[in-house]
Amino acid sequence: MSAKYRANLQGLQSESIGSVMHRLAQGVAHQGFATLQTAQLSAWEEQLGALRAAATFMGENGVQIDRWSVLLEYSIPGVDRRVDAVLIYHNLVLVLEFKTGLGEGLASARRQVEDYALDLADFHGESAEATLIPIVVSMAVAEGMVRPYASAAQRVQPIRQTPPSDLGRLLKSIADGVDIQIGAPIDPARWDAAPFRPVPTILQAAATLFAQHEVREIADAGADVANLTATADVVVDAVKYAERHGKKVVCFITGVPGAGKTLAGLNAVHSPELRRREETSGLFLSGNGPLVKVLREALAKDMALRNGNAHGALTAARQQAESFVMGVHTFLGTYMAAERIGQAPIQRLIVFDEAQRAWNAEQRQSSGGPDESEPESILSVMDRHSDWGVVVCLIGGGQEIHDGEAGLEEWGRALRSRFTHWEVWASEAALHGGPGTGGHRLFAEESSAIGGVEIRPALHLAVSVRSYRSRDVATWVDALLSSNEEALAEVSSRASALPIFLTTSLPRAKEWLRSEARGSRRVGLVACSGAVRLRSVGIEVSTGFTRAYPYHHWFLGEPEDVRSSFALEVVATEFQCQGLELDSVGLVWGDDLTWDAGHSRWRLRKWSGKQWQSMHDPIAREYLINKYRVLLTRARTGMVIVIPPVDPHDATRDQSFLQETYDRLLSIGARPLAAS
């Protein structure tokens, strides 16, 4: 049982408060909280008083309280949180968050309780057919919101809030509106024992790992990410093997967008098993500057919160986060500096995120660097260890989006030419190519071309877990961009209701996104950096603007923060959002990639001076397709694609091109966004 106490309201009313609190204390202690603070005990006493008073009011006014079940301190697996109270009546699940102090913020309480209800709706095994009602019970509420239960049309109903004294009246009004002839009643014992498997965001998962948990705990909480445990085990095995035998090992983790590669890499860095000793601790590297900044700030804020936001806690947490997450250019700049040539890093394990985006020699030279690629430099720096070292490369298929990104092949060239003594652990996908690598392969020749190659199937993550409401989104995106009609037909036959909507109205898309922004579910607008003529509809994607914008606030700010993604004022391009995610995305489609219906192919263009030019360079064309692949795979729950109408006096935007694109998307599974 997940709840620390379960009974019906009649049983709760008849049992003494002391007895209930004793059972709660025992249950919490079994989870590792042996010492309870006075504040927690006081909060329980007030909550129990409010629930018992509500039960009395309901019973005196004709409600059969023996039909109402109450579950207290219901644990959410994978994160250190518990729901204060869950009430079950017929096929209703009422989620209650109590705030006992007058000074406690209602806004955060509303977000918290709505998050609980949304998570139960999406991830709880016995809540698939239930209607969920989030309720805030707080002394700060002057008057209760006695909105009666109407229907199950909205599975997670609007938030109610009430002072403790009016809780019984609110519950009675809900009970009065329920038709017990409709829907099957919920069995409270089955509900309590049912699996609750939330799929965390990458930032939530990173914070959990940073707090000394393991990816196994996250996977245990969510069956959909259970394949990560096998991948994590292989990386741990590689480190142990390298240390035991004095070897240098490079592991390649491949996977489709949203499959959990970054999470697997973070686990390697933060794995308690590997962090017991300093020499096996790791460093997470990324060439994606926005990702590094957002990840560091998210980890620091979570750590400061866990430490009670004490004075100086955030500053200290930021310093600690910097020791685990670093920009690859900073890392190489440090160890390639003249005064440190030959010096080995402190870490024996480094994880390089989006390693296929590492710079080639030409790009590094043009930026004032040495005449060698980043893969060569990273392997060279780690090769300074006299005995052992491990490099873990996270490889995303079709994710190269900028000039000078060397690709998976550059790692193979470096290994074959200079580092033949390094052993390679990889999946078949890395060695032979496939969807998880964008068709690229590590070696041009057979894998026997260099020393040891260990094939480990678990190093490939084939299933996207980001879009948890439809596993077919990543497949649909790949088929869409490759114009694979057979694959599009197949995915459409499996997924008749992809969570992908289509509109020509940017205001309507914003309205939909705001309706999806419930609890802390994050929404935002994205657009391609090459879609420069979206400026005509108020969308700015220029490098000068995006480089100056504080995207850590965009990704982490609360809904009240106008700098955040919730404001729907500023878009993130592929450069800011690669490696990160939103719950619901509004993709504003640009004129750089439009469908050519006459030739059944994509029309790829770049802006030059004052007009569009056709794009002929094959590498530039591949990068543009990859940019849209990144943008189309950022959403966890749903996406609206906006193809805004054009001004007939604007010669730079062709309405027929955009109409053909709209018709194409509509014909292959995107659904028109209904009018409000």
Side-chain angles (χ1 to χ4, degrees):
M1 141 173 145
S2 293
K4 306 304 171 286
Y5 175 91
R6 188 180 74 237
N8 60 37
L9 276 180
Q10 190 174 58
L12 176 70
Q13 191 181 39
S14 61
E15 189 172 353
S16 71
I17 288 181
S19 173
V20 176
M21 289 181 63
H22 177 70
R23 290 169 62 181
L24 289 174
Q26 281 188 317
V28 172
H30 288 159
Q31 284 196 324
F33 298 91
T35 304
L36 288 172
Q37 297 183 356
T38 303
Q40 176 64 83
L41 296 173
S42 177
W44 280 344
E45 191 169 10
E46 291 190 35
Q47 292 168 22
L48 290 169
L51 286 168
R52 286 159 61 94
T56 299
F57 177 89
M58 294 163 68
E60 291 174 348
N61 287 274
V63 178
Q64 293 179 291
I65 58 174
D66 59 328
R67 293 189 176 185
W68 286 70
S69 295
V70 57
L71 297 85
L72 302 179
E73 296 295 325
Y74 177 81
S75 295
I76 298 179
V79 294
D80 299 328
R81 293 193 298 174
R82 301 189 303 273
V83 182
D84 288 341
V86 174
L87 296 176
I88 297 175
Y89 174 62
H90 192 57
N91 61 353
L92 298 187
V93 176
L94 285 65
V95 185
L96 278 64
E97 177 67 17
F98 286 85
K99 295 298 179 186
T100 56
L102 283 171
E104 296 188 77
L106 281 178
S108 61
R110 287 169 61 86
R111 275 196 292 272
Q112 185 176 356
V113 74
E114 194 165 36
D115 277 339
Y116 291 151
L118 291 166
D119 282 347
L120 286 167
D122 283 336
F123 307 121
H124 186 265
E126 286 290 315
S127 295
E129 304 300 325
T131 299
L132 297 105
I133 303 177
I135 300 173
V136 174
V137 185
S138 172
M139 295 284 290
V141 177
E143 186 177 352
M145 296 171 60
V146 187
R147 181 187 292 116
Y149 172 77
S151 72
Q154 192 173 12
R155 282 195 58 218
V156 179
Q157 298 231 326
I159 301 168
R160 274 74 159 173
Q161 59 188 46
T162 180
S165 58
D166 282 349
L167 178 58
R169 190 160 60 95
L170 171 62
L171 297 180
K172 180 182 182 302
S173 73
I174 292 172
D176 289 344
V178 177
D179 184 351
I180 62 172
Q181 305 302 316
I182 300 175
I186 295 171
D187 181 333
R190 282 174 56 88
W191 191 94
D192 192 16
F196 183 19
R197 295 172 173 149
V199 177
T201 68
I202 186 61
L203 296 180
Q204 290 170 336
T208 301
L209 293 171
F210 199 61
Q212 303 295 302
H213 295 276
E214 294 185 83
V215 75
R216 190 177 311 280
E217 295 177 52
I218 299 172
D220 286 345
D224 292 326
V225 291
N227 56 334
L228 289 173
T229 60
T231 306
D233 288 343
V234 172
V235 174
V236 171
D237 288 347
V239 173
K240 290 180 177 178
Y241 167 82
E243 183 182 21
R244 185 166 57 250
H245 298 285
K247 298 286 188 179
K248 305 285 175 52
V249 177
V250 55
C251 295
F252 292 92
I253 298 178
T254 55
V256 299
K261 300 180 296 296
T262 301
L263 180 54
L266 285 166
N267 177 74
V269 172
H270 300 300
S271 169
E273 187 172 1
L274 298 181
R275 287 177 63 184
R276 281 195 293 267
R277 292 179 296 124
E278 183 177 335
E279 59 267 29
T280 56
S281 66
L283 178 66
F284 185 87
L285 299 177
S286 176
N288 184 338
L291 172 66
V292 170
K293 184 176 288 188
V294 171
L295 194 52
R296 279 180 175 174
E297 189 67 9
L299 295 176
K301 285 186 173 183
D302 182 78
M303 178 177 290
L305 181 63
R306 290 174 188 270
N307 292 331
N309 280 326
H311 179 70
L314 184 57
T315 299
R318 282 172 175 154
Q319 293 173 345
Q320 189 170 351
E322 289 175 5
S323 68
F324 291 105
V325 180
M326 184 180 293
V328 68
H329 309 311
T330 301
F331 175 82
L332 289 178
T334 299
Y335 287 101
M336 299 295 287
E339 66 272 15
R340 299 188 75 166
I341 291 296
Q343 179 182 342
I346 298 172
Q347 297 85 3
R348 300 297 187 108
L349 164 67
I350 64 169
V351 175
F352 188 6
D353 194 29
E354 298 290 354
Q356 80 286 349
R357 295 191 61 198
W359 286 358
N360 59 28
E362 292 78 12
Q363 180 69 19
R364 295 193 74 200
Q365 275 189 301
S366 68
S367 302
D371 182 20
E372 65 178 16
S373 67
E374 282 184 343
E376 289 180 281
S377 291
I378 288 171
L379 292 170
S380 175
V381 167
M382 292 300 288
D383 206 43
R384 295 173 186 175
H385 289 293
S386 60
D387 46 9
W388 71 275
V390 176
V391 175
V392 178
C393 296
L394 311 181
I395 305 294
Q399 301 284 295
E400 301 88 350
I401 58 176
H402 196 276
D403 292 341
E405 293 176 356
L408 177 59
E409 292 85 352
E410 183 60 36
W411 289 92
R413 284 191 288 269
L415 287 163
R416 189 172 185 273
S417 62
R418 292 182 54 188
F419 302 98
T420 55
H421 57 288
W422 279 67
E423 295 188 18
V424 175
W425 290 27
S427 67
E428 293 279 1
L431 297 175
H432 303 300
T437 63
H440 297 277
R441 54 189 293 181
L442 185 59
F443 303 113
E445 301 89 349
E446 289 299 317
S447 56
S448 58
I450 69 162
V453 176
E454 179 90 11
I455 297 178
R456 294 294 186 102
L459 290 175
H460 181 66
L461 297 166
V463 179
S464 174
V465 296
R466 176 175 292 141
S467 183
Y468 54 81
R469 289 183 181 171
S470 176
R471 295 289 183 261
D472 288 305
V473 169
T475 305
W476 182 85
V477 169
D478 191 62
L480 164 71
L481 295 175
S482 62
S483 303
N484 187 331
E485 303 302 323
E486 183 178 345
L488 280 170
E490 182 181 347
V491 73
S492 296
S493 67
R494 290 200 309 269
S496 59
L498 287 165
I500 300 171
F501 301 95
L502 192 60
T503 183
T504 58
S505 169
L506 182 56
R508 175 68 190 99
K510 289 183 178 182
E511 186 181 327
W512 179 80
L513 288 167
R514 291 188 182 102
S515 73
E516 294 292 302
R518 304 185 64 186
S520 58
R521 297 293 198 267
R522 185 164 292 275
V523 303
L525 295 170
V526 301
C528 184
S529 61
V532 296
R533 289 304 301 146
L534 288 177
R535 183 177 294 163
S536 66
V537 293
I539 299 295
E540 183 59 71
V541 296
S542 65
T543 303
F545 176 81
T546 57
R547 281 184 177 172
Y549 198 78
Y551 277 96
H552 56 293
H553 292 300
W554 196 90
F555 278 105
L556 300 174
E558 300 289 0
E560 299 83 10
D561 189 341
V562 295
R563 300 167 297 180
S564 75
S565 64
F566 292 104
L568 303 177
E569 294 179 351
V570 173
V571 301
T573 73
E574 67 278 6
F575 295 113
Q576 286 80 48
C577 67
Q578 187 174 43
L580 294 165
E581 59 199 359
L582 301 165
D583 290 286
S584 297
V585 167
L587 167 55
V588 189
W589 202 278
D591 306 77
D592 49 345
L593 183 70
T594 54
W595 184 249
D596 183 348
H599 296 89
S600 297
R601 65 189 181 192
W602 289 107
R603 185 186 295 110
L604 291 84
R605 301 188 297 174
K606 62 180 179 180
W607 183 256
S608 179
K610 60 179 182 180
Q611 62 186 0
W612 292 104
Q613 291 183 349
S614 295
M615 190 180 287
H616 300 293
D617 179 71
I619 294 178
R621 290 173 65 88
E622 179 183 356
Y623 285 164
L624 179 55
I625 291 293
N626 288 346
K627 290 176 180 182
Y628 273 86
R629 177 177 286 107
V630 169
L631 297 170
L632 284 160
T633 54
R634 292 309 95 193
R636 283 164 48 85
T637 61
M639 171 173 54
V640 56
I641 299 173
V642 187
I643 302 183
V646 301
D647 184 337
H649 302 292
D650 184 355
T652 68
R653 308 196 65 216
D654 192 306
Q655 183 66 57
S656 65
F657 288 3
L658 294 171
Q659 185 63 51
E660 289 176 8
T661 306
Y662 181 96
D663 293 341
R664 168 65 170 172
L665 294 169
L666 192 62
S667 70
I668 58 174
R671 293 179 284 163
L673 189 64
S676 59

